[in-house]
């Protein structure tokens, strides 16, 4: 190759490199611009908004949601939770994720002295809080029988093999699954270099960082039973989880009594106390998920006492008179 050709070749190569750099810069998403997705998973609406990421990142978030739904949903016959529940006490080998979540469920059962129990499904199955048909209370004898099979200690786990010591026991991970999945989505986004995101799994909110302008995310706490979604109070959070549990989420009213989906593992009936709602602010969404249910079950005084003894966790309690009690 002549010196002239070499010079032209070098110049052309430099132009191509510079052009590629310019095009690459143009296609890189701005850290101040967001994209979002909305999907239906786990019988709830999932919304994820990310800043400074491309569409492929959100598509993988959808894949993650789909994967966990297929693993954990008790309403999907082929899910690992369903396989455990149908095994009648035979050992079932599950994925690492399902085993991890079941272990967490057992830990929170111990922490709450059984107020949070992942084997409450035998009683939950007898209640109908979802469709619009006229609601009836479960037969008391059937409910008492179901309650006799509620005991998180019957769940035995060895590595990734799960065995129910009581063949009639049933697992339902709904009390912690959304929080666990939110944490996994945040972990994935962090690994992709995302610095700002807001994950909403049916009201379970998890912030990755704050807003790109340096401000916190504002998370509204809904006024219980308000038909128009009125915000009772709001929280400013950055890189934290906000999870609420309450009697207004799934319920029906009969003879002046509210029957809701948070069941007492000792009776199989909805917990009756002076609380409408508990919101937990924590670094871990799975922790907030479990603690919001636990604190609701414990009631105002015991619930606040539990939170005060936990590092890095705060809570907001709303009573039936809409009084707000905070641990901070």
């Amino acid at each position: 190759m002549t010196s002239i050709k070499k010079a032209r070749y070098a110049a052309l190569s430099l132009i191509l490199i510079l052009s590629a750099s310019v095009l690459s810069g143009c296609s890189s998403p701005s850290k101040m611009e967001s994209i979002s997705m909305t999907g239906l998973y786990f019988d709830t609406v999932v919304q994820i908004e990310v800043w400074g990421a491309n569409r492929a990142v959100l598509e993988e978030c959808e894949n993650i949601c789909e994967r966990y739904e297929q693993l954990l949903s008790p309403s999907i016959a082929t899910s690992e939770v369903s396989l455990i529940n149908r095994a009648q006490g035979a050992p079932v080998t599950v994925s690492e994720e399902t085993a991890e979540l079941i272990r967490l469920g057992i830990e929170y059962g111990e922490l709450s002295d059984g107020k949070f129990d992942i084997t409450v499904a035998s009683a939950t199955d007898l209640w109908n809080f979802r469709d619009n048909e006229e609601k009836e209370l479960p037969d008391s004898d059937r409910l008492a029988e179901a309650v006799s099979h509620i005991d998180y200690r019957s769940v035995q786990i060895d590595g990734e093999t799960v065995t129910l010591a009581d063949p009639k026991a049933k697992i339902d991970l709904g009390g912690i699954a959304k929080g666990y999945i939110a944490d996994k989505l945040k972990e994935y986004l962090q690994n992709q270099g995302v610095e700002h995101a807001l994950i909403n799994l049916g009201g379970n909110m998890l912030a990755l960082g704050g807003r790109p302008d340096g401000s916190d995310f504002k998370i509204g706490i809904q006024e219980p039973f308000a038909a128009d979604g009125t915000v009772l109070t709001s929280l400013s959070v950055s890189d934290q989880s906000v999870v609420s549990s309450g009697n207004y989420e799934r319920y029906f009213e009969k003879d002046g009594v509210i029957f809701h989906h948070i069941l007492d593992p000792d009776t199989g009936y909805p917990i009756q106390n002076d609380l409408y709602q508990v919101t937990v602010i924590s670094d871990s969404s799975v922790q907030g998920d479990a603690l919001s249910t636990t604190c609701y079950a414990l009631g105002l005084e015991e619930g606040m006492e539990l939170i005060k003894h936990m590092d890095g966790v705060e809570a907001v309690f709303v009573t039936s008179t809409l009084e707000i009690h905070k641990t901070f």
Side-chain angles (χ1 to χ4, degrees):
M1 185 181 291
T2 67
S3 58
I4 295 177
K5 286 184 176 179
K6 287 180 179 178
R8 288 176 177 173
Y9 181 82
L12 179 59
S13 298
L14 179 60
I15 291 172
L16 290 173
I17 291 170
L18 290 173
S19 298
S21 298
V22 171
L23 289 172
S24 176
C26 291
S27 62
S28 298
S30 167
K31 290 190 175 183
M32 298 300 292
E33 295 180 359
S34 72
I35 55 175
S36 61
M37 60 142 286
T38 300
L40 186 62
Y41 303 95
F42 329 113
D43 294 324
T44 193
V45 176
V46 173
Q47 296 175 312
I48 302 173
E49 185 174 10
V50 297
W51 282 259
N54 56 41
R55 183 60 58 177
V57 169
L58 280 182
E59 290 175 355
E60 182 57 25
C61 287
E62 294 184 65
N63 292 337
I64 290 171
C65 289
E66 175 68 22
R67 168 173 165 73
Y68 282 120
E69 183 173 47
Q70 294 299 319
L71 289 178
L72 305 174
S73 174
S75 61
I76 296 177
T78 55
S79 76
E80 292 183 343
V81 167
S82 293
L83 295 177
I84 294 168
N85 290 342
R86 292 203 310 269
Q88 297 183 324
V92 177
T93 300
V94 298
S95 63
E96 181 180 347
E97 296 96 326
T98 300
E100 179 185 16
L101 187 53
I102 290 173
R103 284 194 183 91
L104 285 170
I106 295 171
E107 287 179 15
Y108 285 111
E110 293 172 348
L111 174 68
S112 66
D113 195 24
K115 291 295 185 181
F116 181 92
D117 197 311
I118 59 173
T119 62
V120 74
S122 57
T124 303
D125 287 350
L126 301 180
W127 291 87
N128 178 13
F129 297 107
R130 294 190 180 278
D131 62 40
N132 295 320
E133 296 177 3
E134 184 177 353
K135 301 296 189 297
E136 295 293 337
L137 302 187
D139 176 79
S140 58
D141 291 337
R142 290 186 65 198
L143 192 57
E145 165 64 15
V147 167
S148 71
H149 302 294
I150 299 175
D151 188 346
Y152 69 92
R153 292 167 296 189
S154 69
V155 183
Q156 301 174 352
I157 184 163
D158 180 12
E160 294 171 6
T161 299
V162 181
T163 306
L164 297 179
D166 178 353
K168 293 186 178 180
K170 288 185 178 181
I171 288 177
D172 184 351
L173 300 174
I176 51 174
K178 288 191 294 183
Y180 177 83
I181 296 161
D183 287 334
K184 291 298 184 182
L185 287 166
K186 180 178 178 179
E187 181 182 332
Y188 164 72
L189 292 173
Q190 287 175 314
N191 290 338
Q192 296 302 305
V194 176
E195 298 177 356
H196 309 280
L198 189 61
I199 300 165
N200 179 357
L201 269 66
N204 283 35
M205 309 295 295
L206 179 59
L208 169 51
R211 291 188 173 277
D213 63 5
S215 63
D216 291 340
F217 287 105
K218 295 287 186 181
I219 308 296
I221 297 179
Q222 179 184 340
E223 178 181 321
F225 300 106
D228 57 356
T230 301
V231 174
L232 184 64
T233 187
S234 62
L235 301 168
S236 296
V237 300
S238 177
D239 217 38
Q240 286 184 302
S241 163
V242 178
V243 180
S244 297
S245 292
N247 60 358
Y248 61 94
E249 295 171 319
R250 296 197 302 274
Y251 72 97
F252 64 88
E253 188 172 346
K254 190 173 183 65
D255 299 328
V257 178
I258 292 173
F259 295 91
H260 57 87
H261 75 291
I262 306 177
L263 304 183
D264 184 340
D266 293 328
T267 67
Y269 285 96
I271 292 167
Q272 299 295 334
N273 58 29
D274 197 37
L275 285 178
Y276 269 3
Q277 178 192 75
V278 179
T279 297
V280 173
I281 306 99
S282 59
D283 294 335
S284 161
S285 191
V286 70
Q287 182 184 40
D289 218 354
L291 287 179
S292 62
T293 302
T294 298
C295 288
Y296 184 90
L298 289 173
L300 177 60
E301 293 183 4
E302 290 187 47
M304 290 190 72
E305 193 65 23
L306 173 64
I307 295 298
K308 288 177 180 178
H309 284 84
M310 304 195 74
D311 294 332
V313 180
E314 302 291 353
V316 178
F317 295 75
V318 179
T319 68
S320 57
T321 57
L322 299 185
E323 293 179 354
I324 299 174
H325 300 261
K326 299 179 179 180
T327 60
F328 54 94

